[in-house]
Amino acid sequence: MENVVTSLDFERLLCTTGPHEGEILRPSDKKHPHKIAWIQCVGSRQVIPGGNSYCSAVCCTYTQKQVILTKDHDAETECTIFHNDIRSYSKDFERFYQRTENLPGVRFIRSYVSIGKEIPENKNVTIRYPTTDDGVKEEEFDLVVLSVGLNPPAEVEKLADMYGIELDYHGFCKTNPVNPIETSRRGIFVSGVFQSPMDIPESVFSASGAGSQCGEFLDHQRGKLSKERIYPPEKDVSEEEPRIGVFVCHCGTNIGRVVDVPSTVEYALTLPNVVYAQEQLFSCATDSAQSIAEMIREKGLNRVVVAACSPRTLEPLFRDTLREAGINQYFFEMANIREHCSWVHSREKEDATQKAKDITRMSIARACHLEPLQEMDLPVNRTALVVGGGIAGMTCALSIANQGHEVYLLEKDTDLGGTARRIHYTLDGVDVQAYLRDLVHKVYQHPLIHVSTDAIITEATGYVGNFVTKVKSEKGGTEIKHGAAVIAVGADVYQPTEYLYGENDRVMTNLELEDRIIKGEERLINSRSLVMIQCVGCRQEDRNYCARICCNQSIKNALKLKKITPRMDIYILFRDIRTYGFAEDYYREASNNDVKFIRYEPHDKPQVEAVEEDGQRILRITATDLILGRKLSIDADYLALAAAVIPPVGNREISQFFKVSLGPDGFFQEAHVKLRPVEFGTEGVYLCGLAHYPKHIPEAINQAYGAASRALTLLSHDTVTVSGSVCEVGEKKCMGCGACISACTYGAIEFRKTREGKKAVVNPVLCKGDGLCNAKCPTGAIFLKHFTDEDLLSQIDAAVGDV
């Protein structure tokens, strides 16, 4: 069937570099499809011999992305997603799912389907699917997209033989259950999807983590092969007339499918001081950066404007390109025509193109006034501080210490271990308490790790490479000087207020159930029935996220109970079972062991009441069975609630101490979800574990090693370079009012006595260049280099012209 394509084929159709330059056209007749269906779990979650039984983990979310992009191309397109469970389990994925679901003309249909036939007259494809109300339906679509899963590499067995590593029964790399980066052969490490199916952020921090473990393994050889990077001498062009080069990026489909890039390039060439302009497919690509450097040298450019994405993402790369070409990096200006233009005006292509030209014109005007600035090299204190002594914090501390750096490990509780102290076994059978005891022993035995328990941070000051943190602990008051900090404060468990929790001793959380199982509580073990309710305290208005670990926890406990008491009736009431990756096999095992799964909708949650029948106290759980289309009453001896993982109440205080951000759900917010998943916007501060978002133990370990790797990138240097874009005070204009001092949250400004009285002075080392003091100064005495009034007013003039 010509009009059945894979999701990768469809991805190419969406791309401006694809076969139709970003237009979505059917293979059969090159017409725009107006009704498209996606079929989920193709090649995954299979129960056929030789099929992939695992969940590929990424398909639900990439399908949602494709639907959103399709609607951006044509708002009238009807999009239907045929699915089983929707597995939006990662950070912000639940909101992304809701955003997709709420788009007009989008349907999510939970059903197993089969492709019916191709209609000869128009080449449309029919899909047959059962419904709960109307029996089997057959519906016609212009185009069908198969959401294909992830397979191990094609020649994986040859690869495994070559390197002497073992594979698991799915054909992926066999790893250590408590260290997913470690293969079966010492000195060979694994990252990314070859560990198991995972999304981009997990791949990125597992890659950083593999780097850290390589660093531990090769620590005895550290520094013996490193070479200092040498830049060409910087040419002084400050007195020259501006010669501006403009480079306009397509950014794949992100800009090119909305903005007329060639037209923007032509327009840039008409503007004053522009001597060269060109378009680039991806300006951030290595060959594109080399092209920019070559053009600087060849055309004698002394200013560069790149019209592309946010400077937050790639400005350092382009500044480095200018250094490679021999001019000051602060002669670079970035015009954001993606986030500020193509992404927000995707349906207004002509207006978006005009706006892109306007933004580019403003950046060119500003570039004319840019001045060369010099950055400062500061010494780095090569000690690390890790805040939080759970599995992630301890793993991170050990990795840093194993590479020769002193580490101070702070834990707010009396004992190390965090949430893991309440977990006894994992889904794949790891003895968590034995592992935890070994980890704690390693931490306390390591000569470079200094542990403080019952620790409370009272103050944190300083800057990248040179922080000072004051702590009260069982050792008394201490002042810790360190170059980097890792936030690994963990998370808490929601205390339910629903389903009779706290009112009836037979209602408990999953963690409390696990504790009772491990203690062999006779009344529980010998009970006849137990019900579990999922999504308690999350996936709702006040906590609009999936807590990620709960489905595995419930299935783990259900299998444990079935092994002990096979006759026990166990029911799991769920919204979506999110056993992504290899955990899918355990979901199937539970079902095969007669664990009964009953789905409920959020508007019709289960009801629980305590009743007494024939002198026996029982819990009666009432829920609607969506398959049977009727209410069910289940009499249970016990009820276990899959309580959400929630951020600790102390997160806000920690965020203020270290000047880092929290996300909308109260977890710490990384600098960039894909490019910098273990870093904050504040330099020198890193992130791992449950502090970032709920995750399983192997995932927390992956991220802990990733955070260690990023921290070591800083700590392994003697110096760190800080920005030249800092504030400065014109002493003659300063009247010593102190408005700037009160505005600065970094403590970078102080008074200094002069002959003319007290005057404000800026410590450039502490200054972060946020410009708040500029706005507060009543006399205009303080200014921010690289963002002067002249720079900004030139942009405004360019925007409004003669109006």
Side-chain angles (χ1 to χ4, degrees):
M1 296 182 184
E2 287 184 79
N3 292 323
V4 178
V5 299
T6 70
S7 47
L8 283 177
D9 295 331
F10 193 76
E11 195 83 18
R12 290 295 298 148
L13 290 176
L14 290 168
C15 185
T16 52
T17 60
H20 311 301
E21 298 182 334
E23 279 196 85
I24 302 173
L25 303 178
R26 301 199 317 168
S28 64
D29 52 16
K30 305 299 183 287
K31 291 182 179 178
H32 287 282
H34 299 291
K35 191 175 182 183
I36 306 176
W38 280 261
I39 300 176
Q40 298 300 101
C41 302
V42 176
S44 304
R45 303 183 71 184
Q46 296 174 314
V47 292
I48 58 175
N52 295 330
S53 61
Y54 55 83
C55 164
S56 288
V58 300
C59 316
C60 289
T61 302
Y62 79 56
T63 293
Q64 293 160 30
K65 176 199 74 174
Q66 290 183 347
V67 169
I68 289 172
L69 291 175
T70 300
K71 297 292 282 185
D72 282 344
H73 279 67
D74 181 0
E76 302 303 315
T77 304
E78 295 178 34
C79 300
T80 304
I81 301 93
F82 292 100
H83 65 94
N84 186 354
D85 300 289
I86 290 292
R87 292 186 167 168
S88 301
Y89 57 85
S90 202
K91 192 170 188 177
D92 294 327
F93 280 14
E94 185 71 13
R95 286 187 178 88
F96 196 69
Y97 166 41
Q98 291 166 358
R99 174 186 167 190
T100 311
E101 188 179 33
N102 292 331
L103 287 171
V106 172
R107 294 181 295 164
F108 280 82
I109 298 177
R110 189 184 296 263
S111 183
Y112 289 102
V113 306
S114 62
I115 291 181
K117 60 181 182 290
E118 181 180 75
I119 298 171
E121 294 80 12
N122 56 17
K123 301 293 184 180
N124 284 357
V125 177
T126 66
I127 290 179
R128 292 170 56 83
Y129 60 98
T131 66
T132 53
D133 300 323
D134 303 319
V136 177
K137 284 187 174 182
E138 187 165 10
E139 191 171 346
E140 186 177 331
F141 294 90
D142 300 340
L143 184 69
V144 174
V145 182
L146 306 180
S147 296
V148 294
L150 303 174
N151 287 330
E155 297 186 350
V156 66
E157 292 181 1
K158 182 179 177 182
L159 180 74
D161 288 341
M162 183 186 302
Y163 287 100
I165 60 173
E166 296 178 36
L167 303 176
D168 65 18
Y169 64 96
H170 289 301
F172 291 86
C173 186
K174 185 176 182 180
T175 61
N176 183 339
V178 294
N179 184 353
I181 298 171
E182 193 176 273
T183 69
S184 56
R185 184 177 180 186
R186 188 170 179 267
I188 296 182
F189 305 97
V190 62
S191 67
V193 179
F194 194 33
Q195 279 187 8
S196 66
M198 63 178 67
D199 207 345
I200 293 172
E202 283 85 359
S203 295
V204 172
F205 59 65
S206 73
S208 290
S212 189
Q213 294 206 30
C214 288
E216 290 185 45
F217 190 73
L218 300 173
D219 186 57
H220 63 289
Q221 293 290 333
R222 188 177 300 277
K224 295 184 179 179
L225 296 175
S226 61
K227 294 181 181 179
E228 184 181 355
R229 187 176 182 185
I230 300 174
Y231 291 93
E234 185 178 298
K235 181 183 175 185
D236 183 5
V237 297
S238 56
E239 300 301 321
E240 296 179 4
E241 284 293 314
R243 291 178 57 81
I244 301 173
V246 180
F247 301 85
V248 185
C249 180
H250 282 266
C251 195
T253 61
N254 285 291
I255 296 172
R257 68 181 170 84
V258 178
V259 173
D260 186 341
V261 172
S263 173
T264 306
V265 171
E266 289 176 16
Y267 174 73
L269 285 167
T270 68
L271 297 173
N273 300 304
V274 176
V275 298
Y276 181 77
Q278 75 170 70
E279 60 184 285
Q280 295 178 315
L281 183 59
F282 289 100
S283 293
C284 58
T286 303
D287 58 341
S288 296
Q290 289 172 347
S291 173
I292 293 172
E294 288 168 6
M295 288 302 105
I296 291 172
R297 290 187 286 263
E298 183 182 321
K299 304 292 182 182
L301 306 179
N302 56 27
R303 307 285 192 282
V304 171
V305 174
V306 173
C309 57
S310 165
R312 284 188 62 197
T313 307
L314 291 167
E315 186 177 59
L317 168 70
F318 295 120
R319 284 186 174 179
D320 192 69
T321 301
L322 266 66
R323 292 186 69 189
E324 289 281 6
I327 63 174
N328 189 279
Q329 61 182 311
Y330 287 91
F331 284 129
F332 172 74
E333 169 67 3
M334 200 155 186
N336 186 349
I337 61 170
R338 188 179 72 177
E339 286 86 343
H340 289 178
C341 187
S342 64
W343 278 3
V344 289
H345 303 295
S346 57
R347 298 175 187 171
E348 307 154 301
K349 295 187 178 183
E350 289 186 12
D351 290 342
T353 298
Q354 183 56 51
K355 184 175 178 181
K357 292 176 181 178
D358 293 342
I359 293 171
T360 304
R361 183 177 69 250
M362 292 165 66
S363 292
I364 290 167
R366 180 171 184 264
C368 292
H369 299 283
L370 296 178
E371 297 177 354
L373 299 176
Q374 298 305 319
E375 297 184 331
M376 292 174 290
D377 286 338
L378 302 174
V380 172
N381 183 321
R382 302 179 75 173
T383 298
L385 174 74
V386 177
V387 184
I391 283 180
M394 288 190 287
T395 301
C396 183
L398 278 168
S399 188
I400 295 171
N402 285 341
Q403 296 177 65
H405 295 270
E406 211 167 359
V407 181
Y408 287 87
L409 179 62
L410 308 182
E411 170 54 46
K412 67 178 184 295
D413 292 335
T414 305
D415 299 307
L416 296 177
T419 305
R421 295 204 307 270
R422 302 179 65 188
I423 302 172
H424 299 275
Y425 48 88
T426 65
L427 196 54
D428 51 0
V430 172
D431 184 337
V432 176
Q433 293 307 303
Y435 167 69
L436 191 59
R437 284 191 297 271
D438 181 57
L439 189 62
V440 170
H441 177 74
K442 287 178 181 177
V443 166
Y444 276 113
Q445 291 299 307
H446 203 292
L448 293 178
I449 298 179
H450 312 285
V451 178
S452 296
T453 53
D454 293 319
I456 300 171
I457 295 174
T458 58
E459 186 181 0
T461 58
Y463 47 90
V464 56
N466 294 273
F467 295 100
V468 179
T469 301
K470 293 181 179 178
V471 180
K472 285 183 179 178
S473 68
E474 88 288 353
K475 299 175 183 178
T478 7
E479 184 178 272
I480 302 169
K481 295 180 178 179
H482 54 101
V486 180
I487 307 300
V489 295
D492 289 338
V493 179
Y494 170 65
Q495 291 297 304
T497 57
E498 54 267 73
Y499 301 124
L500 301 183
Y501 182 84
E503 302 173 31
N504 190 303
D505 63 355
R506 292 169 177 259
V507 182
M508 69 200 92
T509 65
N510 264 342
L511 281 177
E512 291 164 349
L513 172 63
E514 183 172 334
D515 189 57
R516 293 189 187 190
I517 293 171
I518 211 71
K519 288 176 179 175
E521 188 177 290
E522 189 174 339
R523 195 171 65 160
L524 170 69
I525 298 303
N526 294 328
S527 62
R528 294 169 300 173
S529 62
L530 178 141
V531 172
M532 300 177 179
I533 300 178
Q534 300 302 106
C535 301
V536 178
C538 63
R539 298 187 71 190
Q540 59 193 38
E541 189 174 348
D542 59 336
R543 289 186 202 86
N544 194 14
Y545 61 88
C546 167
R548 187 172 181 144
I549 65 171
C550 313
C551 291
N552 283 21
Q553 281 283 97
S554 294
I555 288 171
K556 174 188 78 172
N557 288 334
L559 286 170
K560 194 77 168 178
L561 284 169
K562 276 290 188 179
K563 188 174 181 180
I564 298 168
T565 312
R567 60 175 176 75
M568 185 186 295
D569 290 326
I570 300 177
Y571 302 84
I572 298 180
L573 310 185
F574 70 98
R575 288 175 58 184
D576 295 279
I577 291 294
R578 292 180 169 175
T579 45
Y580 57 92
F582 300 151
E584 179 70 13
D585 293 336
Y586 296 99
Y587 177 21
R588 188 171 293 107
E589 182 184 343
S591 183
N592 291 340
N593 277 276
D594 204 27
V595 175
K596 300 172 182 67
F597 292 86
I598 300 172
R599 189 171 67 86
Y600 72 88
E601 291 287 355
H603 62 268
D604 185 17
K605 292 183 178 181
Q607 302 297 313
V608 179
E609 59 178 334
V611 298
E612 189 169 328
E613 282 192 356
D614 301 326
Q616 290 188 332
R617 293 189 306 126
I618 57 172
L619 296 166
R620 180 159 294 158
I621 296 94
T622 306
T624 301
D625 188 312
L626 297 168
I627 302 298
L628 299 177
R630 56 186 291 187
K631 288 276 188 183
L632 296 181
S633 287
I634 304 169
D635 290 347
D637 296 317
Y638 287 94
L639 173 63
L641 306 179
V645 178
I646 61 174
V649 291
N651 273 9
R652 184 156 301 281
E653 189 176 25
I654 293 291
S655 74
Q656 291 168 350
F657 279 137
F658 290 96
K659 299 175 178 63
V660 295
S661 300
L662 296 176
D665 300 314
F667 295 99
F668 286 94
Q669 186 67 51
E670 64 276 32
H672 189 286
V673 64
K674 290 181 171 65
L675 301 180
R676 299 172 65 194
V678 295
E679 299 172 59
F680 287 106
T682 300
E683 290 183 274
V685 187
Y686 306 92
L687 171 68
C688 65
L690 297 181
H692 168 253
Y693 190 71
K695 49 182 63 69
H696 297 289
I697 289 173
E699 295 165 337
I701 292 169
N702 252 344
Q703 195 177 24
Y705 280 114
S709 176
R710 301 310 302 150
L712 285 159
T713 302
L714 167 63
L715 297 176
S716 60
H717 292 87
D718 295 323
T719 61
V720 62
T721 303
V722 296
S723 174
S725 179
V726 294
C727 291
E728 194 171 284
V729 178
E731 194 174 286
K732 290 183 180 180
K733 288 185 179 181
C734 178
M735 64 181 190
C737 67
C740 56
I741 294 175
S742 63
C744 182
T745 57
Y746 299 98
I749 310 174
E750 60 185 8
F751 281 132
R752 182 175 61 190
K753 289 182 180 179
T754 71
R755 290 180 180 179
E756 298 176 3
K758 60 182 182 181
K759 302 287 185 178
V761 62
V762 177
N763 182 342
V765 172
L766 294 177
C767 179
K768 298 298 180 185
D770 61 13
L772 286 176
C773 54
N774 300 38
K776 282 280 188 177
C777 182
T779 63
I782 194 164
F783 62 94
L784 174 58
K785 297 176 182 179
H786 202 60
F787 294 94
T788 64
D789 288 352
E790 189 178 28
D791 294 342
L792 301 180
L793 289 171
S794 68
Q795 287 187 286
I796 295 169
D797 290 341
V800 300
D802 298 325
V803 176

